[in-house]
Amino acid sequence: MFAVLLLFGAASLLAPLLVRRFGPWAFPILAFVPLAALVHAIVVAPAVLGGRPIVESFAWIPAFGIVPTLRMDALAWLLVIIATGVGALVLAYCMRYFPRGEPGLGRFAAALTAFAGSMVGLVLADDVFTLVTFWEATSVFSYLLIAHRRDLRSSRGAALQALLVTTLGGLVMLVGLVVLTVETGTSRVSGIVEAIVAVPDGPLAITATALIVVGIVSKSALWPLHFWLPRAMAAPTPVSAYLHAAAMVKAGVYLVARLAPGFIEVPGFRESLILLGIVTMLLGGIVAMRQHDLKLLLAYGTVSQLGFLVTVFAIGTREAALAGLALLLAHALGKSALFLVTGVIDHRTGTRDIRRLSQLGRQAPVLAATAIVAAAGMIGLPPALGFVAKEAVFTALLGGTASLGAWTWVALVGTALGSVATVAYTVRFVWGAFATKRGVEAVRDVPEHPDFLLAPVVLALAGVAFGVASPWVDHWFAGYADALPAAAEESYHLALWHGLEPALAVSTVILAAGAAWVAIAIRRESRSADGARAPRPRADAQSAYEAALAGLDRAAAKTTATMQRGSLPFYLAVILTVFVAGVALALAFNRAWPTELRLWDSPWQLVVAAVMIAAGVAAARATKRFQAAVLASVTGYGMVVLFAMQGAPDLALTQALVELAMLFAIVLVLRRLPARLGEANGSRRPVIRAVIGTSFGVVMAVVAIVAAGARTDLPVSVGWPELAVTIGHGANVVNVALVDLRGWDTLGELTVVLAAATGVASLVFVSTRDDTLPRLTRGQAIRETQARMRKAADPTTPDRGSWLLGGRTLAPHNRSILLEVTVRLIFHAVIVVSLFVLLTGHNAPGGGFAGGLVAGMALVARYLAGGRHELGAAAPVAAGALLGTGLLLAAGTAAGSLVFGADALTSTWFTVDLGPIGSFDFVTSAIFDIGVYLIVIGLILDVLRSLGAEVDRHEERRIARREAGAGS
Amino acid sequence: MTVSLVLLVIMAALYAAGLYLMLERSLTRVLIGFLLAANATSLLIVIVAGPAGTAPIADEGASSLEMADPLPQALTLTAIVITFAVSAFLLGLIYRSWRLANRDVVADDRDTIAMREGPAIAATEGPAAGAEDELATEFGPGAEALRDATETEAGR
């Protein structure tokens, strides 16, 4: 059965291709898929109907109990037959229905096939979650199918309404089902039905059942959630025939039938369904009598019949179950046949209006005959299955059920009246479509290909055939019906003739009454000038839905207008205020306050504190950009001292280097901005901002006190120094932690650095990330240097000596000979120092970050001294390549240990004997550190070439343009 | 564990100054505020680490109980480097904003303001006008008339 579902899925994926290749002829090809499912169902029929249901399950996530299960028993078998049989016929019908160039046909075919598969999956599902998944899938595909004509507003609105109503109902039902799953301990629907008998009266069971009833009401278009179905008639007629007559709306009825054996014990289940069913049946019938559009007439008729079906299944006796199944089959066959006939009429005459159709019966006799046969099944005329079904219904109701009491009579009267209406509107349909009306001119009929009529004819004939074969039909249904208690002593069977009995009398009276009603209605319609009375205004439920949606939109717009001011400082202020309020509230409830508070770790902290606080406040009030930046750096250097005093040498080293790099980066940008921070940019209301800031600071301080006070146990890092030596083979615990013990943190951080570097480059180089630094090859560099040295040695040259390669490209007033000489001398030494810091970091303060920053400083020095040409010569590699290589090394080290069967990021070491020099321990986490080193260098290089070199080029271009403009 | 009051005061002051600046409109001030707040955050982690100790280098004579807690130090190192990277990105933003608009402010979003002051949002699509009971017949002469004026279907 899983294979069948997969076949549907594959077919729906291929459908657009088939449609593109074959046009509407793809539909008969697609019809083979439901046909195959039908054949499969027929093949397994003997086993299934003989009381041995087929179960297939697939243990997807057994730990969570997610085990999709499919189970075909007699009830599921019948619905599979209906869904696949009608589906195959409707797909074949679509071939003639759509013109060749119809847009969106591929999507339509895919959605229709997928819908058929979802319907089959829904009825086969035995697991709650599988059921709900397919339930919602049918809603989604129905949405896609109804909105086939995307340019029509009525289609879009109808599709959205159907989706909202059925999906919301489905979600409510999901809650109910989950409650039942927890209550009964099993997620199998069959298991829940068995287990509910033990606890039918519990409040949870009753609530859950009510929620499930809401889902059923929404899906099967019962009052008051019925209004989406008539509006869904905006869909193409094949969709209406399949979804809204035979398949999707039957899902709710199926669920009632599925749950009935166990849930008839739950108080309120039967009564609520019977009540809603009767109301729906009567309402649908009465409104159907007022419709002029054939499709709307059938739609309201479907609403009425669905109410009928739900009522019958909710009675809960064996006879009622037999009757319900027969009725289900009869309705599916008959109603879809009538819908398809309507589609043919629409195709051939171009109208569906009763008032304009006349003499069609004479012009299209086969069509009329098909419609009459199908209508006979709907009315309940022998020998159609509809007659057998109605007989069974009234027998079941007249037989009565002790447990239902008075509700049986309510059901009997309601269904009888509803059946009268059914007779009336069905006859009205036939009359309206085919009769000759006085005073109306004959409608123009365009003959069609004969096989257009194939589907409705087959369906109509099937309705009669099953009626004739009712003993076999009864045998099929016995598998399900026997699960329910029998009301009468002797066993009831479906048959065409039971002898003269009260049910027969009821049927006859109903037929007579219906015929009388429709005769009166027809005479009144023929007499009045414009036809029948105008239809009643739309039911209140529809306007309630629209009002609810409109109200929701308005409320959302108002809320957005109030909350979204469009101002980032406002948003930030709101966030901070909520944070402060929330944390303060939590702290107010805190009972565990630490008892002691140290004043300081060392008196020098006071000095540092004074400097830092003064610098911080001054930075907040600074009026010049560079001033603010330097003051912020002062706080950073204060942090260096604090780190050193706390016993964190690695931190102090890195912080000092980072502050230096930060200052350089800020300078590179600030040189292009004006010196003063204009007051015009200052925000208003400094007092509020100060209050928010101060309260944030205070709250964070209290948080720090509480959080530190909660650290009462021995920290886990007490064992780290030993781990660092034994596992990481390093003495610097912090560095070992970074590259080994907490290596994933570092890996994440590296990706952040890489992303930020790429971001900086993208922001500055708008068009391309590629390196545009001027490059000199080795050969060129040597030749140029030699030429220059020859010139320098020549005493007659005017400009002598440039210590740096790029020095000659700078304007004379930008050059500083002292800087150039110093940089030239120390550059390589600094690189060696950076390598030393990198490699020694494992056992002493240092590491990849510090080493990379030192190397970065060297590059900064060369750039400052010689401009971008110098930078290009100093770093002949692309920044992106460095970043990528670094991340590759880091991630490769992490993943490399997986190759050897250990966990990721495991490190090991090799002792390399270098002879007279000594031995050297190589730890594999050094590769990780080298990756870090490269990434940090890449970041600084990216910053330099974008905020440095590219900004220079922008400036040069601007000056050149201005001079060209001034010159011309 | 106990915390040191001086460090708490420093942290609170840095947070106050930093967030005061971050609520600004000028991006440069936001950057400075971000730097101050980031420093304060590093300090927060170090404060919670506990009292000062010796450097966490596993030499022969070191006792792990006297050492400063190395775990928060590793976290702080990560934080410092990420601060640098994000500040560099913020600098790129400032530069680009300056090049495009000749000022580095966080301007209000015009579209959001327009939505506030604009006409009220229209309600959901109600039923198609004039088609209360007459559904769009797909093939008859009335089908063309019901097409949407706001058709956005491309390639039709």
Side-chain angles (χ1 to χ4, degrees):
Chain A
M1 291 184 284
F2 277 112
V4 167
L5 291 179
L6 282 173
L7 184 63
F8 273 107
S12 96
L13 285 173
L14 285 174
L17 297 169
L18 286 172
V19 167
R20 206 179 315 162
R21 178 84 172 76
F22 297 109
W25 283 92
F27 281 107
I29 304 176
L30 287 171
F32 274 107
V33 178
L35 205 58
L38 180 67
V39 166
H40 169 261
I42 294 176
V43 163
V44 301
V48 170
L49 297 174
R52 295 185 303 278
I54 310 177
V55 182
E56 273 180 33
S57 69
F58 170 60
W60 189 20
I61 315 178
F64 286 137
I66 310 271
V67 181
T69 317
L70 297 179
R71 181 169 179 270
M72 187 189 282
D73 62 352
L75 174 65
W77 180 86
L78 174 68
L79 274 140
V80 167
I81 297 282
I82 293 178
T84 51
V86 177
L89 286 167
V90 165
L91 276 170
Y93 175 90
C94 283
M95 175 183 74
R96 292 287 173 200
Y97 186 79
F98 290 108
R100 193 166 180 98
E102 172 93 2
L105 203 57
R107 194 182 62 238
F108 178 87
L112 195 55
T113 318
F115 173 85
S118 316
M119 192 66 207
V120 170
L122 197 160
V123 299
L124 287 177
D126 193 33
D127 177 59
V128 158
F129 302 110
T130 320
L131 177 72
V132 171
T133 308
F134 281 119
W135 186 280
E136 301 292 11
T138 55
S139 288
V140 168
F141 289 123
S142 153
Y143 169 76
L144 288 174
L145 288 167
I146 296 176
H148 170 68
R149 303 288 304 281
R150 293 198 288 196
D151 54 332
L152 284 180
R153 207 159 163 218
S154 55
S155 294
R156 296 200 303 265
L160 185 65
Q161 185 175 33
L163 181 70
L164 279 179
V165 174
T166 52
T167 310
L168 279 171
L171 286 176
V172 171
M173 181 184 81
L174 174 64
V175 173
L177 283 172
V178 167
V179 169
L180 283 177
T181 308
V182 172
E183 266 279 288
T184 55
T186 169
S187 76
R188 301 266 306 257
V189 174
S190 46
I192 291 179
V193 169
E194 283 165 12
I196 200 73
V197 184
V199 282
D201 282 356
L204 275 180
I206 299 180
T207 321
T209 317
L211 294 174
I212 297 177
V213 165
V214 170
I216 294 173
V217 165
S218 75
K219 191 76 159 189
S220 287
L222 301 176
W223 184 87
L225 295 176
H226 65 287
F227 48 86
W228 63 268
L229 188 53
R231 207 162 155 211
M233 292 300 123
T237 310
V239 171
S240 301
Y242 191 29
L243 270 70
H244 307 129
M248 184 169 115
V249 293
K250 293 281 164 48
V253 177
Y254 159 76
L255 197 59
V256 175
R258 173 65 70 202
L259 296 177
F263 278 69
I264 49 179
E265 305 288 331
V266 178
F269 178 71
R270 287 190 296 178
E271 291 80 358
S272 56
L273 281 174
I274 290 179
L275 180 65
L276 290 175
I278 299 288
V279 170
T280 312
M281 191 180 186
L282 294 172
L283 183 70
I286 295 175
V287 178
M289 285 300 288
R290 296 172 188 273
Q291 301 301 320
H292 300 303
D293 186 331
L294 286 175
K295 230 171 141 182
L296 272 179
L297 201 165
L298 288 177
Y300 281 104
T302 308
V303 170
S304 165
Q305 289 293 102
L306 288 171
F308 191 13
L309 280 166
V310 168
T311 309
V312 171
F313 275 112
I315 295 173
T317 63
R318 183 180 168 275
E319 294 82 8
L322 279 176
L325 287 175
L327 203 58
L328 184 73
L329 183 58
H331 176 255
L333 295 171
K335 202 40 97 42
S336 47
L338 288 177
F339 266 112
L340 294 177
V341 163
T342 313
V344 175
I345 295 177
D346 201 0
H347 228 252
R348 288 162 72 148
T349 64
T351 176
R352 292 195 306 257
D353 192 342
I354 291 183
R355 298 169 288 195
R356 293 190 13 220
L357 285 168
S358 176
Q359 293 192 16
L360 186 59
R362 219 175 284 172
Q363 299 180 39
V366 177
L367 192 63
T370 314
I372 291 174
V373 170
M378 298 298 301
I379 295 175
L381 283 175
L385 183 62
F387 169 72
V388 175
K390 291 231 169 105
E391 288 286 288
V393 170
F394 294 123
T395 311
L397 283 172
L398 287 169
T401 344
S403 54
L404 265 181
W407 284 95
T408 322
W409 298 108
V410 170
L412 180 63
V413 171
T415 48
L417 289 175
S419 302
V420 172
T422 308
V423 172
Y425 67 69
T426 314
V427 173
R428 183 160 178 268
F429 171 87
V430 174
W431 169 81
F434 299 108
T436 309
K437 301 178 185 83
R438 233 182 336 190
V440 180
E441 63 179 58
V443 69
R444 202 175 61 90
D445 173 40
V446 175
E448 293 267 355
H449 204 277
D451 60 19
F452 197 15
L453 286 175
L454 177 69
V457 165
V458 169
L459 288 168
L461 288 179
V464 173
F466 283 125
V468 170
S470 29
W472 284 278
V473 175
D474 174 80
H475 170 66
W476 297 343
F477 296 162
Y480 166 72
D482 287 337
L484 287 159
E489 294 81 37
E490 55 178 63
S491 171
Y492 180 80
H493 294 281
L494 296 171
L496 268 179
W497 179 253
H498 280 126
L500 292 169
E501 51 171 9
L504 192 57
V506 173
S507 300
T508 323
V509 169
I510 287 175
L511 277 171
W517 180 359
V518 73
I520 300 174
I522 288 175
R523 197 171 323 156
R524 200 183 304 155
E525 273 182 53
S526 308
R527 230 183 279 143
S528 71
D530 64 331
R533 280 197 300 268
R536 191 182 303 189
R538 199 176 293 269
D540 284 6
Q542 169 76 7
S543 33
Y545 164 86
E546 280 164 17
L549 277 191
L552 193 64
D553 261 352
R554 267 197 300 273
K558 270 220 179 56
T559 316
T560 312
T562 322
M563 291 306 301
Q564 299 281 115
R565 299 278 197 82
S567 148
L568 265 181
F570 174 75
Y571 296 155
L572 188 58
V574 168
I575 293 172
L576 290 173
T577 313
V578 169
F579 175 84
V580 167
V583 174
L585 198 65
L587 286 174
F589 285 111
N590 180 44
R591 296 283 160 256
W593 294 97
T595 45
E596 59 166 292
L597 192 69
R598 281 174 297 129
L599 209 48
W600 55 62
D601 286 307
S602 130
W604 289 106
Q605 284 184 344
L606 276 175
V607 177
V608 178
V611 172
M612 283 178 71
I613 295 178
V617 172
R621 295 170 51 85
T623 51
K624 291 218 177 106
R625 290 192 155 88
F626 193 61
Q627 190 181 37
V630 169
L631 287 168
S633 283
V634 170
T635 58
Y637 282 110
M639 298 283 292
V640 172
V641 179
L642 288 178
F643 287 149
M645 286 198 278
Q646 287 288 110
D650 253 329
L651 282 186
L653 183 62
T654 314
Q655 174 81 9
L657 290 166
V658 163
E659 279 304 318
L660 203 57
M662 194 72 240
L663 203 54
F664 278 129
I666 292 181
V667 164
L668 286 176
V669 172
L670 286 191
R671 61 192 166 136
R672 295 279 166 254
L673 270 56
R676 298 190 67 87
L677 282 164
E679 278 320 301
N681 292 336
S683 294
R684 293 157 275 193
R685 303 192 205 118
V687 177
I688 296 185
R689 292 187 290 133
V691 165
I692 293 179
T694 326
S695 48
F696 189 90
V698 169
V699 160
M700 288 310 288
V702 178
V703 164
I705 295 176
V706 173
R711 293 189 78 191
T712 47
D713 292 331
L714 217 53
V716 68
S717 38
V718 163
W720 276 19
E722 191 187 322
L723 282 178
V725 174
T726 49
I727 296 184
H729 205 67
N732 185 356
V733 183
V734 174
N735 182 275
V736 172
L738 279 174
V739 301
D740 198 332
L741 297 172
R742 309 247 351 162
W744 287 118
D745 294 348
T746 314
L747 201 54
E749 167 201 358
L750 291 179
T751 43
V752 170
V753 168
L754 198 145
T758 313
V760 174
S762 314
L763 279 171
V764 179
F765 294 86
V766 174
S767 46
T768 164
R769 199 218 191 284
D770 297 339
D771 247 325
T772 50
L773 281 177
R775 288 282 146 74
L776 290 174
T777 63
R778 253 188 89 75
Q780 270 179 314
I782 292 180
R783 278 193 296 277
E784 244 187 74
T785 315
Q786 285 176 341
R788 221 173 301 134
M789 284 177 70
R790 258 179 256 123
K791 222 189 291 189
D794 184 355
T796 59
T797 336
D799 63 340
R800 300 165 51 99
S802 59
W803 281 83
L804 294 177
L805 225 50
R808 303 206 59 222
T809 55
L810 292 177
H813 56 270
N814 284 343
R815 290 176 59 183
S816 157
I817 212 69
L818 190 61
L819 190 58
E820 286 183 27
V821 171
T822 321
V823 164
R824 188 74 176 84
L825 288 175
I826 69 170
F827 175 74
H828 296 92
V830 172
I831 296 290
V832 171
V833 167
S834 83
L835 283 171
F836 170 76
V837 170
L838 162 70
L839 292 172
T840 192
H842 215 52
N843 297 309
F849 291 112
L853 285 166
V854 171
M857 289 302 107
L859 289 174
V860 167
R862 293 251 335 228
Y863 169 75
L864 284 179
R868 66 177 185 279
H869 296 270
E870 189 60 32
L871 183 63
V877 286
L882 271 180
L883 291 165
T885 316
L887 193 60
L888 191 64
L889 285 176
T893 320
S897 47
L898 287 173
V899 174
F900 292 97
D903 289 328
L905 268 181
T906 315
S907 69
T908 177
W909 64 90
F910 311 100
T911 314
V912 176
D913 202 353
L914 292 173
I917 305 179
S919 74
F920 165 64
D921 284 341
F922 176 73
V923 190
T924 55
S925 54
I927 305 179
F928 194 98
D929 233 353
I930 294 176
V932 172
Y933 177 77
L934 288 176
I935 286 191
V936 173
I937 297 184
L939 170 69
I940 298 192
L941 190 58
D942 236 338
V943 166
L944 280 177
R945 72 181 186 91
S946 38
L947 295 177
E950 187 64 12
V951 170
D952 284 344
R953 277 204 12 223
H954 289 170
E955 186 65 14
E956 282 171 13
R957 272 210 309 262
R958 193 177 67 85
I959 294 179
R961 242 177 304 165
R962 197 175 55 189
E963 279 170 7
S968 64
Chain B
M1 289 191 188
T2 60
V3 295
S4 112
L5 188 61
V6 174
L7 292 180
L8 282 178
V9 170
I10 299 178
M11 181 189 78
L14 283 181
Y15 265 128
L19 287 174
Y20 174 82
L21 284 174
M22 278 182 80
L23 289 166
E24 270 274 350
R25 276 197 185 276
S26 158
L27 264 180
T28 315
R29 283 206 172 100
V30 169
L31 171 70
I32 305 295
F34 176 73
L35 289 176
L36 292 175
N39 282 337
T41 310
S42 310
L43 196 52
L44 171 69
I45 304 178
V46 167
I47 289 175
V48 180
T54 58
I57 313 283
D59 290 335
E60 316 304 320
S63 137
S64 72
L65 286 171
E66 285 170 7
M67 282 184 199
D69 198 342
L71 174 53
Q73 289 185 18
L75 300 176
T76 313
L77 203 79
T78 314
I80 292 174
V81 177
I82 293 186
T83 306
F84 176 51
V86 175
S87 307
F89 185 75
L90 205 51
L91 281 171
L93 272 179
I94 293 177
Y95 177 72
R96 183 45 58 190
S97 163
W98 189 262
R99 290 270 304 177
L100 284 175
N102 224 35
R103 41 186 220 146
D104 63 338
V105 287
V106 178
D108 281 350
D109 186 25
R110 270 196 298 251
D111 292 328
T112 314
I113 297 178
M115 191 187 77
R116 287 185 70 193
E117 297 159 2
I121 310 290
T124 28
E125 296 177 350
E132 290 279 290
D133 306 292
E134 201 88 62
L135 290 171
T137 176
E138 293 140 59
F139 302 102
E144 282 296 326
L146 281 164
R147 235 170 267 266
D148 241 359
T150 60
E151 178 184 307
T152 51
E153 187 73 56
R156 279 218 56 179

